[in-house]
Amino acid sequence: MTALAEELPAHLPDFLARQRWFPAKGRPVESVAVAGSTTLLGEGELLLDLCLLRVTFADGGAPEHYQLLVGRRYQPAPDLEYATIGAVGDLIAYDAMWDHEATAFLLDSIREGRTYGEVRFVPEPGVEIPAGVSGRILGVEQSNTSVAYGDKSIFKLFRRVAPGVNPDLELHRALRAEGSEQVASLQGAVEGTLDGQPATLGMLQDFLSNSAEGWAMALTSVRDLFAEGDLYANEVGGDFAGEARRLGETVAVVHKELAAALGTGTRDADELRAALIARLTEAASQVPALGEHVDGIRAVYDALTGEVPTQRVHGDLHLGQTLRTPRGWLLIDFEGEPAAPLAERTRMDSPLRDVAGMLRSFDYAVYHQVLSTDADEHEEQQLFRRADEWAVRNRSAFCDGYAFAAGRDPRAEAAVLRAYELDKAVYEVVYETRSRPTWASIPLTSIARLVEEAQEKGADTTDPESDPQVSL
């Protein structure tokens, strides 16, 4: 056993607890071990190893694997103090994603297609990757770590690793093969093994430095609306409906491209219903506030019948997974819900899951800003009315755009769409109750609305005019 594998684990529990990308901070860690390491640089001032960590928990849950690019130096630069892990022999170990020399090495390795042991740096065919460029770490992600190289490339290191090809890499390769212009083009990847199976360690893509995130644009639109007390949403300079429509078109095009690249299928409604009810039952056991809605939600799920068309989808789509460039909208981060098992993230699902995720995101963009104000009761009521108007307008515009590009209106499949939106809202209630209790009212209010609409109109309606997303 190497000194790295022997001495590094003692420092890791404290180090992991400080990292934004480590999601199990509230769980008692039983042990952390180096499950495998590959030496990338074995001599010189910088020693560099790609390490897979095996984390076990005292609560008896399944072990999880995380990835560290470990650098070691005698005297790391002062700006690496934040990334320090601890002493290993006479050297100091640290997270080398913060080291410019280390990240330049990663880029050169992908460009040259190098292999170190079972770790392969794989450039995409025909891609020109710049040489001699050091990276700067981006601080916006939580579940992974990304480094930008100038204004041309961005590398994502997947922190949590599971056996199998990560869907972010798989779907980007499929979309590149289709010539998609709706995603940032793939430039390369880092691939290895875990438990004897292929594993995705990282990926390199085009960097869109002149883009704006959809979430930030939506928030600006809402702030503009709230600042104009006597104007309707369509009269405000920051009206977002046109962008929402274009975004709907982009999502529909991506769905068409994924279907062409990876095929389509069906899912039995009984099997889907059982999965939705299982998640609802588990959520209700954790959040008592869901109890009064369980019967109504189950009634919506019970309206699912027949076969549901499926294909590969984004799986975790919301405004934060979209970028607006001068040329149009792009979708990013096709990893799916990181906490879900890989088999669940890579299975075919209804495109309406992505549509529902976007509709929920419009709700969040507007209603969380109402809750963040210091308005009195009367002012808050007015803000909620204006928020309702903004949400209805933008959800409707998104569906209009999707219908235009897809050739079918998602609102015509109201029973399935409503079920997926409820499933997402149920997940949100659990998340908010644990993390931001004051926000739990956002999904709870949406659940009550969706259930009431189903009771009024019938959850099995196929009339586009009865769309549950555009009437409150």
Side-chain angles (χ1 to χ4, degrees):
M1 183 179 289
T2 65
L4 185 68
E6 289 180 338
E7 300 179 35
L8 189 68
H11 306 294
L12 291 174
D14 288 340
F15 173 78
L16 291 176
R18 301 195 305 269
Q19 307 311 305
R20 294 178 63 192
W21 47 261
F22 184 64
K25 297 181 181 65
R27 299 176 63 187
V29 173
E30 183 175 69
S31 67
V32 183
V34 177
S37 65
T38 300
T39 298
L40 305 180
L41 290 174
E43 57 184 27
E45 293 185 4
L46 168 65
L47 303 184
L48 197 61
D49 294 85
L50 201 56
C51 296
L52 290 177
L53 312 179
R54 186 176 188 269
V55 182
T56 61
F57 301 94
D59 60 16
E64 297 176 354
H65 290 87
Y66 294 88
Q67 183 180 190
L68 274 180
L69 181 66
V70 179
R72 284 177 289 166
R73 294 180 183 270
Y74 283 107
Q75 291 183 324
D79 60 357
L80 295 174
E81 181 178 355
Y82 170 82
T84 298
I85 300 173
V88 175
D90 296 331
L91 304 176
I92 301 298
Y94 58 92
D95 184 347
M97 291 298 288
W98 296 81
D99 187 322
H100 297 305
E101 183 179 345
T103 54
F105 172 87
L106 292 179
L107 186 68
D108 290 342
S109 295
I110 296 175
R111 180 173 50 81
E112 297 176 9
R114 300 171 183 168
T115 297
Y116 299 87
E118 295 185 337
V119 175
R120 298 182 302 118
F121 293 82
V122 185
E124 285 294 299
V127 172
E128 293 186 7
I129 299 174
V133 182
S134 63
R136 68 182 188 281
I137 200 163
L138 302 179
V140 295
E141 286 189 286
Q142 294 188 10
S143 56
N144 299 302
T145 301
S146 290
V147 171
Y149 297 92
D151 60 356
K152 299 296 184 183
S153 305
I154 182 169
F155 176 76
K156 178 194 294 184
L157 183 82
F158 293 109
R159 289 299 189 171
R160 187 174 178 180
V161 181
V165 178
N166 190 296
D168 204 7
L169 176 60
E170 179 190 10
L171 297 189
H172 271 95
R173 277 185 173 153
L175 290 167
R176 185 172 188 269
E178 290 294 313
S180 177
E181 298 181 350
Q182 325 302 320
V183 296
S185 184
L186 184 67
Q187 297 183 3
V190 183
E191 299 175 288
T193 60
L194 177 61
D195 294 339
Q197 298 184 51
T200 305
L201 305 178
M203 56 188 287
L204 186 73
Q205 294 177 265
D206 288 353
F207 182 47
L208 307 164
S209 57
N210 59 342
S211 62
E213 189 187 72
W215 175 254
M217 291 178 64
L219 296 189
T220 299
S221 171
V222 174
R223 286 193 291 269
D224 287 350
L225 174 65
F226 287 174
E228 299 289 349
D230 57 346
L231 295 179
Y232 291 104
N234 64 332
E235 299 173 325
V236 175
D239 181 27
F240 193 70
E243 294 296 347
R245 180 186 172 93
R246 285 186 281 272
L247 182 55
E249 294 179 22
T250 297
V251 173
V253 171
V254 169
H255 283 165
K256 283 185 173 181
E257 292 170 339
L258 287 174
L262 299 172
T264 60
T266 60
R267 186 176 187 181
D268 183 74
D270 292 340
E271 188 272 332
L272 173 58
R273 184 188 312 109
L276 297 179
I277 290 175
R279 284 197 288 268
L280 172 61
T281 302
E282 176 64 21
S285 71
Q286 299 178 42
V287 182
L290 268 174
E292 65 180 287
H293 302 293
V294 167
D295 290 344
I297 296 172
R298 289 196 60 151
V300 173
Y301 295 165
D302 287 342
L304 297 172
T305 59
E307 298 288 329
V308 178
T310 61
Q311 61 166 85
R312 293 299 297 276
V313 298
H314 184 285
D316 187 32
L317 191 59
H318 52 78
L319 286 164
Q321 309 282 40
T322 67
L323 295 176
R324 183 64 161 92
T325 74
R327 295 180 58 188
W329 285 98
L330 299 180
L331 306 189
I332 61 174
D333 293 340
F334 285 73
E335 190 177 0
E337 175 52 51
L342 185 64
E344 182 178 324
R345 290 186 279 142
T346 56
R347 71 174 296 175
M348 289 187 177
D349 205 342
S350 169
L352 295 179
R353 181 175 291 282
D354 285 349
V355 174
M358 287 301 307
L359 299 178
R360 294 295 312 125
S361 193
F362 287 121
D363 270 8
Y364 260 80
V366 66
Y367 292 118
H368 100 273
Q369 293 204 64
V370 177
L371 297 178
S372 301
T373 66
D374 295 323
D376 59 33
E377 183 176 354
H378 175 69
E379 292 171 332
E380 189 176 80
Q381 289 177 350
Q382 290 183 319
L383 287 177
F384 268 115
R385 285 195 292 271
R386 310 204 77 201
D388 291 346
E389 177 197 356
W390 189 94
V392 168
R393 177 171 173 77
N394 286 283
R395 287 199 303 262
S396 180
F398 177 85
C399 288
D400 288 344
Y402 189 97
F404 174 79
R408 64 184 186 280
D409 195 326
R411 292 164 292 194
E413 304 169 70
V416 180
L417 182 57
R418 187 182 285 116
Y420 275 112
E421 192 174 1
L422 278 170
D423 183 54
K424 181 69 172 178
V426 167
Y427 165 85
E428 292 164 355
V429 169
V430 175
Y431 177 85
E432 301 299 1
T433 300
R434 290 174 175 173
S435 307
R436 300 176 294 198
T438 58
W439 284 28
S441 62
I442 297 175
L444 283 170
T445 299
S446 295
I447 288 171
R449 169 177 60 80
L450 289 163
V451 168
E452 180 181 358
E453 289 169 347
Q455 292 169 345
E456 290 177 352
K457 303 170 183 176
D460 62 345
T461 179
T462 57
D463 178 7
E465 295 302 320
S466 64
D467 169 32
Q469 313 309 327
V470 296
S471 59
L472 290 172

